[in-house]
């Protein structure tokens, strides 16, 4: 990779991000046979399985919302956080060879991977909601801006997690397995498969320390205004948590920049 001395650093950085984005896109969608299909089928499998469970227990409405809509919005919102976090945390190891080029920094790979995953999740959400509309009543958000605010907040939380985790895994590789295990209990404690509003006190307040809970509830409320969301819902908390995580993650990348590029 040649350096154009006439270009300012911002232009060089944007060029690096563009190249990384195209590389990550090709790699992500051609990593295996029908890799693009799995992007769609993973949330679909979760939704179908959970709808089957809810059908068995004859629970057709959750918090005043149709169960299918409640599950779909919650799962897609959670995957916006989860997929962004997991892809970002593994970005450095996956792109180690690129650090031979001094224009490419470890933080670039994390940011680009997170951006790509957010973009793919938006496409997946649009396709799934469009597909659901073909087989039933149209599913459209009552407040699109509120839904976008919730999804973007969850993406930022995932980015902050990924920035911090990418450094932690590089310094202590064993943490990678632990962080992967964390996602399983987080799946249950974020209100993906049960309404947080039904959790008795004081456990409900404990669960509200999790910013993902606020993001999921806000996304559902944006789709259906009469949804019985948990009291204490705050998108300000989600964005504050996300910005703190991003700040700490960027600080760690600056502090351990030399160690992150070492093989």
């Amino acid at each position: 990779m040649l350096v154009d001395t006439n270009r300012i650093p911002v232009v060089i950085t944007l060029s690096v991000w563009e190249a990384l984005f195209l590389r990550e896109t090709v790699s992500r969608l051609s990593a295996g046979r029908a890799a693009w299909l799995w992007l769609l089928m993973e949330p679909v499998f979760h939704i179908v399985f959970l709808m089957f469970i809810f059908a068995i227990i004859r629970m057709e409405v959750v918090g005043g919302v149709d169960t299918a809509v409640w599950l779909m919005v919650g799962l897609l919102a959670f995957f916006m956080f989860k997929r962004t976090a997991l892809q970002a945390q593994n970005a450095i190891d996956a792109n180690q060879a690129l650090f031979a080029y001094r224009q490419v920094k470890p933080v670039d790979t994390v940011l680009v991977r997170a951006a790509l995953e957010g973009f793919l999740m938006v496409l997946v959400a649009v396709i799934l909601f469009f597909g659901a509309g073909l087989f039933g009543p149209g599913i459209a958000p009552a407040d699109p801006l509120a839904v976008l605010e919730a999804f973007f907040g969850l993406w930022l939380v995932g980015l902050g997690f990924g920035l911090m985790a990418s450094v932690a895994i590089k310094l202590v590789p064993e943490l990678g397995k632990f962080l992967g295990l964390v996602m399983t209990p987080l799946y249950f404690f974020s209100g993906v498969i049960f309404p947080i509003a039904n959790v008795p006190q004081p456990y409900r307040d404990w669960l509200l320390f999790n910013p993902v809970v606020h993001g999921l509830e806000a996304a559902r409320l944006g789709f259906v205004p009469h949804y019985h969301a948990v009291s204490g819902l705050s998108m300000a908390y989600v964005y504050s948590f996300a910005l703190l995580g991003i700040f700490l993650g960027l600080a760690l990348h600056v502090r351990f920049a030399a160690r992150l590029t070492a093989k």
Side-chain angles (χ1 to χ4, degrees):
M1 186 179 295
L2 299 177
V3 181
D4 184 351
T5 56
N6 294 323
R7 295 196 298 171
I8 61 176
V10 172
V11 174
I12 294 175
T13 299
L14 291 176
S15 298
V16 169
W17 287 356
E18 180 184 6
L20 287 174
F21 189 87
L22 293 174
R23 180 180 183 274
E24 288 288 345
T25 301
V26 173
S27 175
R28 186 85 166 86
L29 298 180
S30 61
R33 185 172 297 177
W36 59 271
L37 184 60
W38 178 244
L39 287 172
L40 289 172
M41 295 312 297
E42 183 183 9
V44 169
F45 286 149
H46 280 262
I47 293 167
V48 171
F49 175 73
L50 291 176
M51 286 182 63
F52 174 73
I53 298 298
F54 277 68
I56 291 177
I57 63 177
R58 303 187 180 215
M59 193 171 183
E60 298 180 356
V61 176
V62 180
V65 181
D66 180 78
T67 300
V69 176
W70 187 84
L71 286 173
M72 186 176 296
V73 175
L75 279 166
L76 289 172
F78 181 77
F79 279 132
M80 174 64 83
F81 158 75
K82 177 187 174 183
R83 285 184 170 180
T84 300
L86 293 182
Q87 287 295 323
Q89 79 174 32
N90 297 317
I92 295 178
D93 283 338
N95 294 280
Q96 193 71 46
L98 295 180
F99 301 146
Y101 304 105
R102 64 188 182 89
Q103 298 97 325
V104 182
K105 308 298 181 185
V107 69
D108 293 329
T109 62
V110 177
L111 294 175
V112 169
R113 267 206 170 192
L116 174 62
E117 203 59 34
F119 175 73
L120 291 176
M121 277 307 304
V122 169
L123 288 181
V124 168
V126 170
I127 292 172
L128 288 182
F129 284 125
F130 178 77
L134 294 178
F135 296 98
I139 301 177
D143 188 347
L145 290 180
V147 176
L148 288 175
E149 179 188 24
F151 273 71
F152 185 62
L154 289 169
W155 179 79
L156 288 177
V157 173
L159 173 60
F161 181 96
L163 283 168
M164 293 187 291
S166 61
V167 177
I169 290 173
K170 187 65 178 178
L171 300 179
V172 185
E174 292 76 14
L175 281 176
K177 296 180 180 179
F178 171 76
L179 293 176
L181 294 174
V182 166
M183 289 298 172
T184 300
L186 198 60
Y187 178 84
F188 293 100
F189 296 147
S190 296
V192 177
I193 60 176
F194 64 86
I196 297 295
N198 291 350
V199 176
Q201 295 287 16
Y203 310 109
R204 187 193 311 159
D205 287 340
W206 296 354
L207 292 178
L208 286 176
F209 282 108
N210 176 8
V212 181
V213 169
H214 295 261
L216 264 64
E217 290 287 283
R220 287 164 172 156
L221 189 60
F223 261 84
V224 185
H226 61 264
Y227 170 57
H228 305 155
V230 64
S231 60
L233 174 64
S234 173
M235 283 306 298
Y237 175 70
V238 176
Y239 278 85
S240 298
F241 193 97
L243 292 177
L244 177 61
I246 292 172
F247 173 79
L248 292 176
L250 292 174
L252 288 172
H253 271 267
V254 173
R255 171 64 178 80
F256 297 102
R259 294 182 63 178
L260 295 178
T261 56
K263 294 183 179 181

